[in-house]
């Protein structure tokens, strides 16, 4: 399947498996080979075969992943990086110059806030955070120099839902670009470009890779977005090549393999998380359950409109810090670890783990919150694990 217009008519599942995956013309190998090479022989000086010259600039295994990513987000161009943060940094460098301003949700991934706050702010960029669900607050926080409005929905760890179309309307009226970090939802559950966003970023380390065995990141967008007289996609491509935080061929291949089952995994992640959330509502040891699939969640109706289902991430608030710590350290199937989105269930204590970098800032997370990345093991085993653990804390 080539990345032409007709490919866009295929179902998501077909694209996940087939986009960027033509069989090998030389051998008939159904799976395209992993091109573990740094360089490519030239047919005479400058005679590149299919444009390949040196792997930092391009490698067929990375191209396969980039075509797959673009197809799944319904975009023209995909760029794959060594990590989610490398992707974010390359995108921001392509857009920003000193004096520009970034407006971010007050609950974005801690590392994203740290990247801008500790790397781009000292370089002369302005940064503010805002409650993205409060559209008046978003309008008020946009300044003449605002170039980027950056949001995550569902957010981490409180699963807040942002109206992508409404924020895009406000940002576009002010001449700013909307970047959506679509890591939690994945393109299977949510298509931010169709909702009006300009650029998607991913930590492919999470659900896209899906097996907790490969780090990666992506920038996905359409051509035709002009930034300082240049096409933004071309600028991202230049920084990917010129700075070099690319994904290695084997990493790209593992990510591609993971993506082929994304739709099947996400259906199960959502079903398991929904079952767990419903089993936990009203539990006496919990002050609150944060899951957008629950009707009482404040973003439930918006999420139902914006997403295919509600995803595999769920947070709970215990009655105090001590109970939260005991809970996070006592589950059996849910393993205490950073990260999320793998087939195996993980538990995380955000205030000292994923969100340690934002302690003391507006993004600080309550010490009574515990986050669960609900895997695709048997739902009843996962529910029993959490209920048994709550009995003991
Ligand atoms: C993990 C994560 C990132 C950072 O990605 P890395 O691959 O760890 O660099 C960015 N955004 C979200 C939502 C994440 O969960």
């Amino acid at each position: 399947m080539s990345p032409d217009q007709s490919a866009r008519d295929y179902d998501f599942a077909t694209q996940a498996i087939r986009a960027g995956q033509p069989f090998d013309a030389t051998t008939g190998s159904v799976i395209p080979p992993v091109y573990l090479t740094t360089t490519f022989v030239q047919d005479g000086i400058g005679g590149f075969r299919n444009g390949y010259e040196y792997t930092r600039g391009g490698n067929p295994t990375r191209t396969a992943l980039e075509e797959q990513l673009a197809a799944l987000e319904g975009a023209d161009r995909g760029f794959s990086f060594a990590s989610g943060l490398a992707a974010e940094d390359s995108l921001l460098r392509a857009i920003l110059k000193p004096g520009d301003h970034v407006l971010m949700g007050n609950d974005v991934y801690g590392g994203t806030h740290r990247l801008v706050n500790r790397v781009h702010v000292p370089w002369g960029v302005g940064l503010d955070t805002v409650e993205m669900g409060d559209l008046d607050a978003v309008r008020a926080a946009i300044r003449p120099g605002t170039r980027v409005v950056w949001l995550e929905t569902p957010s981490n760890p409180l699963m807040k839902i942002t109206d992508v179309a409404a924020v895009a309307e406000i940002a576009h009226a002010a001449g700013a670009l909307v970047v959506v970090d679509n890591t939690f939802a994945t393109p299977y559950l949510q298509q931010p470009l169709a909702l009006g966003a300009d650029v998607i970023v991913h930590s492919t380390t999470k659900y896209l890779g899906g097996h907790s065995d490969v780090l990666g990141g992506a920038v996905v967008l359409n051509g035709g977005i002009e930034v300082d007289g240049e096409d933004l996609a071309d600028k991202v491509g230049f920084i990917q090549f010129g700075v070099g935080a690319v994904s290695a061929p084997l990493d790209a291949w593992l990510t591609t393999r993971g993506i082929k089952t994304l739709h099947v995994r996400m259906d199960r992640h959502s079903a398991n998380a929904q079952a767990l959330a419903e089993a936990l509502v009203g539990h006496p040891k919990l002050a609150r359950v944060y899951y957008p699939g629950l009707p009482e969640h404040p973003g439930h109706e918006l999420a139902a409109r914006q997403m295919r289902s509600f995803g595999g991430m769920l947070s709970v608030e215990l009655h105090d810090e001590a109970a939260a710590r005991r809970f996070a350290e006592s589950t059996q199937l849910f393993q205490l670890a950073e990260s999320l989105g793998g087939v195996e269930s993980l538990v995380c204590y955000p205030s000292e783990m994923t969100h340690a970098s934002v302690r003391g800032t507006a993004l600080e997370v309550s010490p009574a919150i515990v986050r669960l990345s609900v895997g695709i093991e048997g739902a009843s085993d996962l529910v029993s694990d959490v209920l048994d653990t709550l009995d003991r804390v």
Side-chain angles (χ1 to χ4, degrees):
M1 193 162 79
S2 61
D4 59 14
Q5 280 309 111
S6 65
R8 292 191 173 185
D9 297 336
Y10 284 116
D11 187 77
F12 185 94
T14 310
Q15 303 228 40
I17 294 167
R18 303 298 289 276
Q21 297 286 297
F23 70 86
D24 179 49
T26 310
T27 62
S29 165
V30 166
I31 302 303
V34 189
Y35 288 87
L36 285 173
T37 187
T38 55
T39 190
F40 301 84
V41 170
Q42 304 183 12
D43 298 318
I45 297 167
F48 309 131
R49 297 193 176 191
N50 294 311
Y52 293 109
E53 179 182 10
Y54 181 65
T55 279
R56 175 161 36 72
N59 175 288
T61 310
R62 196 169 86 223
T63 303
L65 171 58
E66 292 177 335
E67 288 181 2
Q68 192 184 28
L69 289 164
L72 295 190
E73 292 285 8
D76 302 333
R77 310 277 296 273
F79 299 93
S80 162
F81 293 86
S83 71
L85 286 175
E88 294 181 12
D89 178 50
S90 294
L91 172 65
L92 288 166
R93 289 191 207 213
I95 299 172
L96 300 173
K97 51 188 184 324
D100 289 342
H101 176 245
V102 176
L103 183 62
M104 236 176 217
N106 61 9
D107 49 4
V108 298
Y109 175 70
T112 300
H113 182 266
R114 181 181 56 202
L115 168 69
V116 178
N117 196 32
R118 307 256 318 258
V119 178
H120 296 110
V121 167
W123 179 63
V125 164
L127 170 66
D128 281 305
T129 57
V130 69
E131 175 72 44
M132 275 294 158
D134 181 346
L135 298 176
D136 289 332
V138 173
R139 235 176 253 114
I142 287 184
R143 300 203 226 132
T146 304
R147 305 293 298 274
V148 173
V149 176
W150 187 292
L151 65 93
E152 271 174 46
T153 179
S155 73
N156 178 15
L158 297 184
M159 311 302 148
K160 287 192 235 166
I161 305 297
T162 293
D163 187 335
V164 177
V167 170
E169 207 179 305
I170 295 168
H172 290 160
L177 295 171
V178 175
V179 179
V180 174
D181 182 335
N182 205 25
T183 299
F184 269 39
T186 82
Y188 179 61
L189 300 188
Q190 175 172 279
Q191 302 252 295
L193 295 182
L195 295 168
D198 301 290
V199 188
I200 310 296
V201 297
H202 279 286
S203 169
T204 61
T205 310
K206 315 295 168 48
Y207 286 107
L208 293 177
H211 298 75
S212 307
D213 54 9
V214 59
L215 208 64
V219 174
V220 186
L221 74 169
N222 283 313
I225 299 171
E226 202 176 292
V227 171
D228 298 329
E230 270 183 78
D231 188 83
L232 179 59
D234 291 341
K235 290 185 93 171
V236 172
F238 172 74
I239 289 176
Q240 182 193 40
F241 161 71
V243 175
V246 295
S247 45
L250 197 54
D251 290 2
W253 187 84
L254 279 168
T255 306
T256 286
R257 187 171 73 164
I259 289 173
K260 290 178 184 179
T261 56
L262 177 68
H263 48 294
V264 183
R265 288 185 284 108
M266 291 314 294
D267 282 340
R268 186 61 72 90
H269 281 294
S270 286
N272 281 1
Q274 185 78 38
L276 181 58
E278 285 170 10
L280 295 179
V281 169
H283 193 288
K285 296 277 179 74
L286 297 176
R288 223 168 133 181
V289 180
Y290 297 87
Y291 185 66
L294 294 173
E296 58 266 42
H297 185 283
H300 176 69
E301 275 168 30
L302 177 57
R305 278 207 307 279
Q306 258 181 196
M307 302 175 74
R308 189 192 295 255
S309 62
F310 303 99
M313 298 303 298
L314 177 161
S315 293
V316 291
E317 185 176 346
L318 287 96
H319 291 300
D320 55 48
E321 172 173 349
R325 285 174 172 277
R326 275 200 306 278
F327 175 79
E329 291 177 344
S330 312
T331 47
Q332 299 292 306
L333 281 174
F334 283 84
Q335 300 173 97
L336 181 63
E338 298 270 358
S339 203
L340 61 108
V343 292
E344 62 287 304
S345 294
L346 299 178
V347 55
C348 158
Y349 184 63
S351 73
E352 276 190 29
M353 293 171 65
T354 48
H355 288 63
S357 68
V358 291
R359 253 186 303 178
T361 75
L363 282 73
E364 190 171 78
V365 174
S366 156
I369 295 277
V370 175
R371 188 189 77 184
L372 299 170
S373 173
V374 182
I376 61 172
E377 302 96 332
S380 58
D381 293 333
L382 298 178
V383 170
S384 303
D385 187 30
V386 172
L387 292 178
D388 291 351
T389 306
L390 285 174
D391 283 344
R392 286 183 276 117
V393 299

